[in-house]
Amino acid sequence: MTQETLLYTLPGMRDLLPDELTRWQFIEQATRDTFGRYGFREIRTPLIEATELFARSIGQETDIVGKEMYTFLDQSGKSITLRPEATASVVRAYAQHAMYRGSGTTKLYYLGPMFRHEKKQKGRWRQFYQIGAEVLGSDHPAVEVETIEMVISLLSMLEVKVQLLVNSVGCSRCRPQYIELLRADLQRLAEHLCEDCRRRSVTNALRVLDCKVESCQPYIEQLPRITDHLCEECSTHFDLFRKHLTMAAIPFEITPRLVRGLDYYVRTAFEIVSVDLGAQNALVGGGRYDGLSEVLGGPPVSGFGFAMGLDRLVMLLPEHLSSRWVEATDLFLAHMGERAFGRALELARAFRREGFRCNIDLAGGSLKSQLRLANRLNARHVLIIGEDELASGRYLLKNLSDSSQLRLEPAEVIRQLRMPVTGHHGAPSDEGA
Ligand code: HAM
């Protein structure tokens, strides 16, 4: 292997650099604020769990478990997996720490990386980031609507235009009968379907509904709809869910083909999509997963939640909100000469203690290159420190938004920096400095 090949990230992985991360941090802060208002509290679970936790919860026949997990044997020969999602981990943590003790629901949220060895395509990463929320302990549709309302209110605050798609995937009582019907029809239509659909007809018939292959579409449209084959309880649940959505004034579209790529869902399943995302248009996916805890050996508990792709959300943030995430430097200290450099360091220390974001060119370039750096750092003010300033104890403070300048003592500089700022028009040139 040559040295050069070590200087690249692995396929599907990427570095997130400071300029880009300001958007991420802006979304993360908005998430914490919004979710906090709904009573959700953060949970952090390990990035690695026992392979069996995901295999059993997500389902052996799913794409995720079948071909996308990063699974290894550790030093003791135990099979471990980098988490492809976090719902199973949250349910495990809930049971492990007996969080069901006490009354009411438990509302948890998480932010962090997930890992799936996906085929390379736009909008899909092998290390990607999710913001997710889970509510444990209630089977009421009002919980579903409150949780959906929370994510929609976050998205509308971020001015991201989306559409809510909902469905019911039934339960362990009505779904098997529906799948029988589906299988019978799929057998009849087999010769018209793609290879994946034919395989899934046997292994995971519901997933056929999710096929995107053009030539399959007319046949899939003929298949029975799950919403016509729900048991009475599931049907009542779905009615009540829609009623609560309407009461909350949340527009939605019923999508009978929405089945999701994980096996643990019962009853309500939903997605939030964006037309601006192209083929990978799903921004949020979620649903109800009553019974998942028991599958993992835990107590019976109802669950509902969602996860949102942060990588995708970042792409949708409208540029006109940028002033809310651009990181500004309050003061850049430009220095000329060795003595001025020492004074600049001293002053920066004092201004930072006062709470200002200060920066200095420690590499010590010309005034021109220091001002270029000030510009790149989005500085609001530059303080110029030269021999004259050292002699008089008054420094030249340039306001970069209106190009005004004042000669001030350090205490006056602090007062000036505390004044409200206007827009940023770039750093001045060194002429006349
Ligand atoms: P999911 O549909 O597999 O659900 O993923 C949720 C979201 O994560 C997707 O809608 C998408 O935005 C994002 N996502 C998934 N894979 C990738 C990828 N390779 N690259 C970029 N973004 C991706 C779950 O993970 C469930 N745990 C959701 C849930 C929580 N259900 C109940 N509670």
Side-chain angles (χ1 to χ4, degrees):
M1 197 185 279
T2 66
Q3 189 75 34
E4 212 179 349
T5 54
L6 294 176
L7 299 178
Y8 291 97
T9 47
L10 295 169
M13 310 269 174
R14 60 177 164 159
D15 299 310
L16 296 168
L17 303 181
D19 279 348
E20 193 183 355
L21 272 178
T22 55
R23 288 165 198 263
W24 292 62
Q25 289 160 350
F26 168 66
I27 295 174
E28 286 162 10
Q29 192 51 51
T31 300
R32 292 180 194 286
D33 293 346
T34 306
F35 290 12
R37 282 202 291 276
Y38 281 79
F40 281 71
R41 300 179 70 207
E42 186 178 354
I43 184 165
R44 298 187 194 187
T45 60
L47 299 194
I48 301 179
E49 300 264 10
T51 302
E52 203 46 27
L53 177 73
F54 302 117
R56 256 204 258 167
S57 55
I58 299 169
Q60 290 288 355
E61 299 301 336
T62 58
D63 285 352
I64 297 179
V65 174
K67 50 187 182 195
E68 292 171 358
M69 294 208 301
Y70 282 89
T71 296
F72 314 88
L73 292 182
D74 73 5
Q75 282 76 352
S76 63
K78 184 174 171 58
S79 180
I80 58 173
T81 293
L82 280 173
R83 64 180 188 190
E85 61 113 44
T87 308
S89 306
V90 170
V91 172
R92 178 204 41 72
Y94 178 79
Q96 181 174 338
H97 306 288
M99 294 169 83
Y100 42 81
R101 276 199 295 246
S103 58
T105 54
T106 304
K107 297 173 168 184
L108 303 165
Y109 77 88
Y110 48 87
L111 299 116
M114 309 291 157
F115 303 85
R116 297 182 194 173
H117 196 283
E118 304 237 26
K119 268 215 300 273
K120 269 184 80 182
Q121 46 185 310
K122 196 170 171 284
R124 288 198 173 272
W125 298 92
R126 291 181 178 166
Q127 175 174 333
F128 61 99
Y129 294 78
Q130 283 186 342
I131 290 175
E134 315 288 349
V135 186
L136 285 313
S138 167
D139 62 2
H140 201 287
V143 162
E144 302 165 8
V145 173
E146 190 190 62
T147 309
I148 291 174
E149 179 190 294
M150 173 173 85
V151 67
I152 287 190
S153 93
L154 172 65
L155 291 171
S156 82
M157 202 199 82
L158 300 175
E159 298 189 28
V160 173
K161 282 195 233 30
V162 290
Q163 205 185 354
L164 170 64
L165 311 178
V166 303
N167 193 21
S168 174
V169 293
C171 66
S172 57
R173 280 209 296 149
C174 52
R175 191 162 45 201
Q177 288 163 27
Y178 168 72
I179 289 175
E180 280 308 304
L181 279 176
L182 199 59
R183 282 224 175 94
D185 275 25
L186 286 170
Q187 246 168 22
R188 190 169 53 77
L189 298 169
E191 57 175 319
H192 304 290
L193 300 174
C194 69
E195 202 181 311
D196 267 352
C197 281
R198 285 208 294 270
R199 184 174 44 81
R200 285 180 174 146
S201 303
V202 183
T203 59
N204 196 347
L206 268 189
R207 295 289 297 158
V208 172
L209 300 174
D210 207 24
C211 174
K212 304 279 186 310
V213 174
E214 200 56 49
S215 58
C216 294
Q217 302 310 309
Y219 303 99
I220 294 175
E221 282 303 318
Q222 295 172 28
L223 295 169
R225 297 178 157 210
I226 191 159
T227 37
D228 296 330
H229 298 275
L230 297 175
C231 63
E232 205 181 319
E233 284 86 347
C234 287
S235 185
T236 308
H237 187 98
F238 196 40
D239 288 346
L240 197 55
F241 168 63
R242 285 175 296 167
K243 192 171 143 214
H244 275 269
L245 278 177
T246 308
M247 278 167 16
I250 300 174
F252 63 92
E253 192 180 306
I254 300 173
T255 314
R257 278 177 60 177
L258 179 81
V259 286
R260 314 272 305 117
L262 305 98
D263 282 354
Y264 49 61
Y265 293 111
V266 292
R267 297 191 169 161
T268 310
F270 78 98
E271 281 186 1
I272 295 178
V273 297
S274 157
V275 282
D276 300 323
L277 277 175
Q280 304 301 325
N281 67 352
L283 181 60
V284 182
R288 176 162 288 288
Y289 48 84
D290 303 350
L292 173 56
S293 167
E294 284 153 288
V295 167
L296 301 176
V301 58
S302 304
F304 180 83
F306 68 82
M308 168 161 64
L310 189 46
D311 308 67
R312 294 183 187 177
L313 178 55
V314 167
M315 299 196 292
L316 296 171
L317 268 193
E319 224 27 67
H320 72 258
L321 294 181
S322 65
S323 63
R324 299 180 47 193
W325 65 73
V326 166
E327 260 169 0
T329 298
D330 296 315
L331 182 67
F332 185 90
L333 296 98
H335 48 88
M336 288 173 288
E338 200 49 42
R339 272 197 337 127
F341 182 43
R343 183 69 180 134
L345 290 172
E346 208 174 33
L347 284 172
R349 208 171 293 128
F351 293 142
R352 284 173 180 146
R353 267 200 303 269
E354 291 294 321
F356 298 109
R357 298 163 71 105
C358 298
N359 224 321
I360 305 183
D361 185 353
L362 296 175
S366 66
L367 183 58
K368 194 170 191 160
S369 83
Q370 291 185 51
L371 294 175
R372 260 201 308 271
L373 178 60
N375 223 346
R376 211 167 59 235
L377 295 172
N378 207 17
R380 296 197 161 123
H381 298 87
V382 174
L383 193 70
I384 308 226
I385 306 165
E387 284 303 325
D388 291 353
E389 286 80 9
L390 284 177
S392 69
R394 299 174 77 82
Y395 304 88
L396 189 67
L397 182 72
K398 284 178 171 271
N399 180 333
L400 301 189
S401 43
D402 59 13
S403 302
S404 62
Q405 53 185 58
L406 296 164
R407 278 193 185 275
L408 302 172
E409 288 175 6
E412 294 167 328
V413 171
I414 291 171
R415 266 199 298 282
Q416 193 63 30
L417 292 180
R418 293 229 160 94
M419 310 248 282
V421 280
T422 50
H424 168 241
H425 303 299
S429 68
D430 55 342
E431 280 111 57

